[in-house]
């Protein structure tokens, strides 16, 4: 019987004698070699007692062996549960306990704390370090003979990815073989991925972007990757000449643009740059085109849904939009109170349906019912608009909507104007408690390097451009905005920081 993801993503590596991965040290790993590592790890997982459907929590550095472990999980039918390397032992404890993981794999440097976490939750503990070595590798080396992949249907779970949980408890999104394969197929086709492609991979592999969008698409299309441990501008500039494509978050692009060595000449040969996971400013899109001649292709997705929309490969890549629904995916914009479609062009909650949409939250049937409708539409919690050509523009997260004196304020409208003000590099608008208005609009600004921002001048400009209820009641100037590893501004932290401003 078949194992959907294994057959399409992993099995083709077995016969590839050409380079599949290049690491930052210049080590070149052939497809067949990664396949062998994956199969020996799959044998080890089985020998350690893991069965199909069991969960394996993995908090390890990004290495080729870590990717082989993902392939091993696919082969053994084990549900892969990648964890952000920044999580503390207490956070890992929550995930291992909630998912009832049978095995926790982590860096040996964390063994002291995490062995205890594993023991408390009745899980095994094994190690894999930043060089791809550790106790799990030792087990794998002892395995003899090949590994027969475990049969899995399209509906079986391949992974559980926990949402970042900035507003509450982190939820485990259950992703099936069908969810992942269908999305990889659509993206590979839409973005024209070929065996000749070399993807510069500088994203983390504990998140949907780096793990599924990037690696699944490359594995499916038979391409190869330059597999960097993270984004370092110098390293990326060094490797770009050997790549044909790069997938990034917006901060990758702003950092490259801040570097004079990043020139149009350097990337003349490139075929595609994509961006997602956080909003790409139209200004960044334009500056990138001016510098390189390339129009970044922006797309939109999330942990629960894989990718939903994309700007076109051929055709109009519109700055500030996330493009149209991908083939097979339906997108609609609804009123958050009534759930009915809003009139064309008006803002509302983005809902999506398609084979990409997850199977629900792990052991949270109530949360699943709240967000995943009976008819299959998932309520994303993102606010956006849909234009007559089907292009989606994201305005912000529903939870970031500010209600001040009974009026709805979308932070993005104000942020776009703030970003135009003299000396302003970037901005974030949030709502904080206010005794009269319920919430008050405040703005947090970062100045351009070497420049200063005059809050009074900005306030006066806002007075001319915006209705009074939208004007920030306070303007703070800070050195940096707090961001998570995917480049998303953590507005929850800003709300906390300024929560007592009007108390
Ligand atoms: P995550 O589940 O961590 O991938 O986060 C998903 C969220 O990231 C989405 O619900 C959006 O709020 C945001 N996001 C992803 N792609 C984009 C994009 N291209 N533009 C704006 N926001 C995005």
């Amino acid at each position: 019987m078949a194992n959907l993801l294994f057959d399409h993503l992993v099995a083709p590596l077995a016969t590839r004698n050409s380079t599949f991965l290049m690491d930052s040290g210049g080590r070149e790993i052939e497809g067949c070699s990664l396949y062998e590592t994956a199969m020996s790890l799959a044998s080890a997982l089985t020998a350690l007692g893991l069965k199909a459907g069991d969960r394996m929590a993995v908090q390890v550095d990004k290495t080729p062996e870590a990717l082989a472990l993902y392939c091993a999980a696919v082969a053994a039918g084990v549900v892969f549960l990648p964890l952000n390397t920044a999580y503390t032992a207490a956070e890992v404890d929550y995930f291992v306990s909630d998912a009832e993981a049978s095995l926790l794999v982590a860096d040996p440097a964390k063994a002291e704390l995490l062995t205890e976490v594993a023991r408390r939750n009745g899980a095994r503990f094994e190690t894999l370090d930043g060089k791809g070595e550790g106790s799990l590798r030792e087990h794998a080396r002892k395995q003899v003979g090949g590994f027969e992949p475990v049969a899995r249907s399209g509906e079986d779970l391949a992974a559980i990815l926990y949402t970042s949980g900035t507003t509450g408890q982190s939820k485990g999104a259950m992703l099936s073989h069908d969810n992942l394969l269908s999305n990889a197929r659509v993206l590979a086709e839409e973005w024209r991925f070929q065996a000749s492609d070399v993807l510069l991979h500088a994203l983390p592999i504990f998140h949907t972007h780096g793990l599924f969008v990037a690696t699944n698409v490359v594995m499916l299309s038979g391409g190869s990757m330059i597999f960097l441990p993270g984004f370092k501008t110098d390293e990326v500039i060094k490797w770009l000449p050997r790549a044909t494509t790069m997938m990034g978050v917006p901060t990758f692009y702003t950092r490259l643009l801040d570097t004079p060595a990043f020139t149009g000449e350097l990337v003349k040969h490139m075929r595609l740059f994509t961006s997602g996971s956080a909003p790409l400013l139209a200004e960044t899109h334009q500056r990138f085109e001016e510098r390189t001649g390339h129009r970044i292709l922006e797309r939109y997705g999330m942990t629960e849904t894989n990718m939903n929309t994309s700007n076109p490969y051929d055709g109009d890549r519109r700055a500030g939009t996330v493009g149209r629904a991908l083939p097979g995916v339906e997108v609609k914009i609804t009123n958050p109170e009534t759930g009915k479609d809003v009139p064309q062009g008006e803002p509302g909650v983005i809902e999506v349906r398609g084979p990409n949409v997850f199977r629900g939250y792990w052991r949270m049937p109530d949360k699943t019912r709240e967000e995943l409708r009976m008819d299959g539409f998932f309520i994303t919690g993102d606010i956006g608009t849909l234009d007559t050509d089907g292009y989606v523009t994201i305005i912000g997260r529903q939870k970031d909507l500010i209600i001040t004196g009974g009026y709805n304020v979308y932070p993005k409208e104000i942020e776009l104007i703030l970003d135009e003000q003299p000396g302003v590099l970037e901005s974030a608008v949030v709502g904080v408690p206010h005794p009269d208005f319920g919430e008050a609009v405040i703005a947090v600004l970062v100045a351009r390097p070497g420049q200063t921002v005059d809050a009074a001048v900005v306030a006066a400009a806002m007075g001319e451009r915006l209705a009074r209820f939208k004007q920030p009641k306070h303007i703070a100037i800070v050195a940096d905005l707090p961001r998570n590893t995917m480049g998303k501004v953590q507005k929850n932290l800003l709300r906390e920081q300024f929560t007592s401003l009007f108390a």
Side-chain angles (χ1 to χ4, degrees), residues 70 76 122 126 206 245 295 306 311 315 328 367 407 430 443 465 495:
Y70 162 56
E126 299 292 340
F206 51 72
T245 52
R295 290 178 71 77
N306 297 285
N311 272 281
K367 277 273 161 219
Y407 292 109
V430 293
R465 300 276 297 271
R495 279 191 287 265

Coordinates of all heavy atoms in Angstrom, one line a residue, residues 70 76 122 126 206 245 295 306 311 315 328 367 407 430 443 465 495:
Y70 N 12.7 14.4 9.4 CA 11.4 14.7 8.9 C 11.0 13.6 7.9 O 9.9 13.0 8.0 CB 11.3 16.1 8.3 CG 10.2 16.4 7.4 CD1 8.9 16.2 7.8 CD2 10.4 16.8 6.1 CE1 7.8 16.5 6.9 CE2 9.4 17.1 5.2 CZ 8.1 16.9 5.6 OH 7.0 17.2 4.8
A76 N 8.0 6.3 8.4 CA 7.6 5.5 9.5 C 6.1 5.8 9.9 O 5.6 5.1 10.8 CB 8.5 5.6 10.7
G122 N 6.3 10.6 30.1 CA 6.3 9.2 29.6 C 6.9 9.1 28.2 O 6.5 8.2 27.5
E126 N 16.0 11.4 23.0 CA 17.2 11.2 22.2 C 17.7 12.5 21.8 O 17.0 13.5 21.8 CB 16.8 10.3 21.0 CG 16.3 8.9 21.3 CD 17.2 8.0 22.0 OE1 18.5 8.2 21.9 OE2 16.8 7.0 22.6
F206 N 11.3 24.7 11.5 CA 10.3 24.3 12.5 C 8.9 25.0 12.2 O 8.0 24.9 12.9 CB 10.7 24.6 14.0 CG 11.2 26.0 14.2 CD1 10.3 27.1 14.1 CD2 12.6 26.2 14.4 CE1 10.8 28.4 14.3 CE2 13.0 27.5 14.5 CZ 12.1 28.6 14.5
T245 N 16.5 30.4 -7.0 CA 15.3 30.9 -6.3 C 15.6 31.2 -4.8 O 16.5 30.5 -4.3 CB 14.2 29.9 -6.4 OG1 14.7 28.7 -5.9 CG2 13.7 29.7 -7.8
R295 N 10.6 41.4 -9.5 CA 9.4 41.7 -8.7 C 9.2 40.6 -7.8 O 8.9 39.5 -8.2 CB 8.2 41.9 -9.6 CG 8.3 43.2 -10.5 CD 7.1 43.4 -11.4 NE 5.9 43.6 -10.7 CZ 5.5 44.8 -10.2 NH1 6.3 45.8 -10.3 NH2 4.3 45.0 -9.6
N306 N -1.7 25.8 5.2 CA -0.6 25.9 4.1 C -0.9 27.2 3.3 O -1.4 28.1 3.9 CB -0.7 24.6 3.2 CG -0.4 23.4 4.0 OD1 0.8 23.1 4.4 ND2 -1.4 22.6 4.4
N311 N 0.5 35.7 -5.7 CA 0.6 36.5 -6.9 C 1.0 35.6 -8.1 O 1.6 34.6 -7.8 CB 1.6 37.7 -6.7 CG 1.0 38.9 -6.1 OD1 0.3 39.7 -6.8 ND2 1.1 39.1 -4.8
G315 N 2.4 37.4 -15.2 CA 1.3 38.3 -15.0 C 1.6 39.3 -13.9 O 2.8 39.4 -13.5
G328 N -7.7 25.4 -6.8 CA -8.3 24.4 -5.8 C -8.7 25.0 -4.5 O -9.3 24.4 -3.7
K367 N -12.4 24.5 19.9 CA -11.7 25.4 19.1 C -11.9 25.1 17.6 O -12.0 26.0 16.8 CB -10.2 25.4 19.4 CG -9.9 26.2 20.6 CD -9.6 27.6 20.3 CE -9.7 28.5 21.5 NZ -10.3 29.8 21.3
Y407 N -15.9 52.9 17.4 CA -15.5 52.9 16.0 C -14.4 51.8 15.7 O -13.5 51.7 16.5 CB -14.8 54.2 15.5 CG -15.8 55.4 15.5 CD1 -15.8 56.4 16.5 CD2 -16.8 55.5 14.5 CE1 -16.6 57.5 16.4 CE2 -17.7 56.5 14.4 CZ -17.6 57.5 15.4 OH -18.5 58.6 15.4
V430 N -1.3 50.1 17.7 CA -2.0 49.1 18.5 C -3.0 49.9 19.4 O -3.0 51.1 19.5 CB -1.1 48.3 19.5 CG1 -0.1 47.4 18.7 CG2 -0.3 49.3 20.4
A443 N 0.6 54.9 18.4 CA 1.6 54.6 17.3 C 3.0 54.4 17.9 O 3.4 55.2 18.8 CB 1.6 55.7 16.3
R465 N -4.6 64.1 7.8 CA -4.9 63.0 6.9 C -6.1 62.1 7.5 O -6.7 61.4 6.7 CB -3.7 62.1 6.7 CG -2.5 62.8 6.1 CD -2.6 62.8 4.6 NE -2.6 61.5 4.0 CZ -1.5 60.9 3.6 NH1 -0.3 61.5 3.8 NH2 -1.5 59.7 3.0
R495 N 1.3 46.0 23.1 CA 0.1 46.3 23.9 C 0.5 46.2 25.4 O 0.1 47.0 26.2 CB -1.0 45.3 23.5 CG -1.8 45.8 22.3 CD -3.0 45.0 22.1 NE -2.8 43.6 21.6 CZ -2.8 43.2 20.4 NH1 -3.1 44.1 19.4 NH2 -2.5 42.0 20.1

